[in-house]
């Protein structure tokens, strides 16, 4: 796991330099780390991963393309995907490809790179059960990073009974229909989900005031979920 970790930490280093070049390099390094960590995990011995029916020939076929890696992760390791939306990873991978193949003059917002870094850190922890420690990276005081980190906690709580990814809004609706949350909490949870989607796939970073307010609501919502689930 040293290779994926080094790539991820190196990508975070570039992220924190904040120049256009560093943000492009950060996105590319982080995406490369995601690809390598999936290949590494799927290639581990069966007695380590407990993966059934993944032959060496099948593995060699899977590692030829990023979409096949994502599909294999979902097929063989669904229990490792709590807090992970594979659609997000595919979306960021396409963005990385645009930068890599048409990178001359193309810029990427720091928000996007930071969000992908948080997703990659979570995937690394899920697969190898080792966190990317604070001393391994340069700190970035960011409300965006704080929101994504707290959202991952929130999403993991939502899916704690399932052991795999289920769309957050579906789980929020289930909590409401079962009477576990009231109208006010339901609206707050739904707004948090919408804000998260806009943040990940939106064209610009929200105002700091909005981020601060939503972070406060999200922190409170994590506490509420802790007592419900």
């Amino acid at each position: 796991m040293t290779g994926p970790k080094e790539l991820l930490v190196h990508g975070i280093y570039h992220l924190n330099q904040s120049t256009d070049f560093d943000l492009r390099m950060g996105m590319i390094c982080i995406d490369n780390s995601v690809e390598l960590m999936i290949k590494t995990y799927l290639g581990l011995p069966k007695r380590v991963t407990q993966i059934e029916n993944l032959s060496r020939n099948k593995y060699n076929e899977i590692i030829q393309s990023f979409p096949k890696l994502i599909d294999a992760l979902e097929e063989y390791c669904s229990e490792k995907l709590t807090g992970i939306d594979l659609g997000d990873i595919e979306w960021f991978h396409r963005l990385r490809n645009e930068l890599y193949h048409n990178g001359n003059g193309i810029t990427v917002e720091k928000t996007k790179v930071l969000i992908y870094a948080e997703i990659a850190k979570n995937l690394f922890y899920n697969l190898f059960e080792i966190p990317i420690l604070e001393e391994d990276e340069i700190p970035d005081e960011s409300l965006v990073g704080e929101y994504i980190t707290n959202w991952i906690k929130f999403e993991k709580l939502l899916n704690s009974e399932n052991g795999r990814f289920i769309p957050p809004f579906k789980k929020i609706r289930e909590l409401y229909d079962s009477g576990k949350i009231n109208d006010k909490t339901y609206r707050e949870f739904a707004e948090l989900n919408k804000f998260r989607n806009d943040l990940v796939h939106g064209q610009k970073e929200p105002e700091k005031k909005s981020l601060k307010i939503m972070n406060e609501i999200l922190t409170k919502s994590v506490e509420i979920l802790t007592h419900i689930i």
Side-chain angles (χ1 to χ4, degrees), residues 1 5 10 18 21 25 51 67 76 90 119 124-125 131 140 164 167 176 185 192 206:
M1 68 191 74
K5 180 180 178 181
H10 187 63
S18 297
F21 168 79
M25 287 301 299
I51 294 175
Y76 297 109
E90 290 180 303
I119 292 171
F124 185 87
Y125 178 77
D140 184 283
R164 59 164 297 170
Y176 178 69
T185 302
L192 288 170

Side-chain angles (χ1 to χ4, degrees), residues 71-196:
D71 290 342
L73 193 61
E74 184 172 36
E75 178 180 355
Y76 297 109
C77 316
S78 60
E79 75 283 355
K80 296 287 186 178
L81 297 179
T82 53
I84 299 290
D85 185 339
L86 293 178
D88 289 340
I89 294 178
E90 290 180 303
W91 189 83
F92 280 112
H93 180 69
R94 287 197 295 270
L95 179 58
R96 175 264 186 201
N97 282 344
E98 290 182 19
L99 292 172
Y100 187 79
H101 297 293
N102 306 296
N104 188 22
I106 295 179
T107 60
V108 58
E109 300 95 331
K110 184 174 183 178
T111 297
K112 298 291 186 294
V113 189
L114 198 150
I115 291 171
Y116 199 17
E118 293 297 334
I119 292 171
K121 285 158 61 177
N122 185 43
L123 180 61
F124 185 87
Y125 178 77
N126 283 5
L127 293 178
F128 304 114
E129 299 180 5
I130 296 176
I132 300 295
L133 302 176
E134 290 182 4
E135 56 263 33
D136 292 325
E137 57 180 274
I138 297 175
D140 184 283
E141 298 298 330
S142 167
L143 290 170
V144 173
E146 181 183 345
Y147 191 87
I148 295 301
T149 299
N150 285 331
W151 175 263
I152 288 171
K153 294 177 184 176
F154 181 78
E155 197 171 292
K156 284 187 174 182
L157 284 169
L158 282 176
N159 286 285
S160 60
E161 297 176 338
N162 307 292
R164 59 164 297 170
F165 176 79
I166 292 178
F169 187 74
K170 181 178 180 180
K171 285 296 301 179
I172 291 168
R173 186 70 200 185
E174 287 178 4
L175 290 174
Y176 178 69
D177 290 341
S178 64
K180 292 183 178 180
I181 58 175
N182 57 29
D183 289 348
K184 179 176 180 296
T185 302
Y186 171 73
R187 288 194 298 271
E188 286 183 346
F189 283 9
E191 181 61 26
L192 288 170
N193 184 59
K194 180 180 183 302
F195 188 84
R196 178 261 180 209

